[in-house]
Amino acid sequence: SGKIIAGNIFSHSDIAKLTSTSRQTVNNTISNLRKKQFLDYDRKSIALKSHGQNLWRLLRNNGFLTGFSEIDSKIESLK
């Protein structure tokens, strides 16, 4: 099972601004996604596990994600 790893260029505050939500909501969401093993996230990188990649595509295709071109291009190259 593959992983997509991208450099982490966004802080939780940055993600909160991009998504018009609070930093605490971002923290809680990332924590839940880690617990469900969709992703690994730290200061240096974001790693989407294979089922996390499917979630990413679903969210992106429904207009929930923009501005993450590095991850998008890596996921699309797997098709």
Side-chain angles (χ1 to χ4, degrees):
S1 61
K3 280 188 192 180
I4 298 294
I5 300 173
N8 182 4
I9 58 171
F10 297 106
S11 69
H12 288 188
S13 294
D14 294 333
I15 295 169
K17 289 175 188 172
L18 286 168
T19 58
S20 300
T21 188
S22 70
R23 186 185 54 78
Q24 186 60 44
T25 298
V26 171
N27 291 343
N28 291 340
T29 301
I30 289 174
S31 177
N32 287 334
L33 290 171
R34 277 184 183 151
K35 287 177 188 173
K36 293 178 181 185
Q37 300 183 356
F38 280 102
L39 60 80
D40 291 322
Y41 182 98
D42 61 33
R43 289 178 183 239
K44 295 181 184 178
S45 65
I46 299 170
L48 290 171
K49 297 178 180 181
S50 58
H51 54 283
Q53 295 165 29
N54 293 331
L55 174 63
W56 184 272
R57 284 186 189 108
L58 176 69
L59 292 172
R60 188 198 62 229
N61 291 341
N62 286 285
F64 291 101
L65 301 172
T66 59
F68 297 94
S69 59
E70 181 183 359
I71 296 171
D72 283 341
S73 63
K74 288 184 179 186
I75 290 174
E76 290 307 310
S77 71
L78 295 175
K79 285 185 170 181

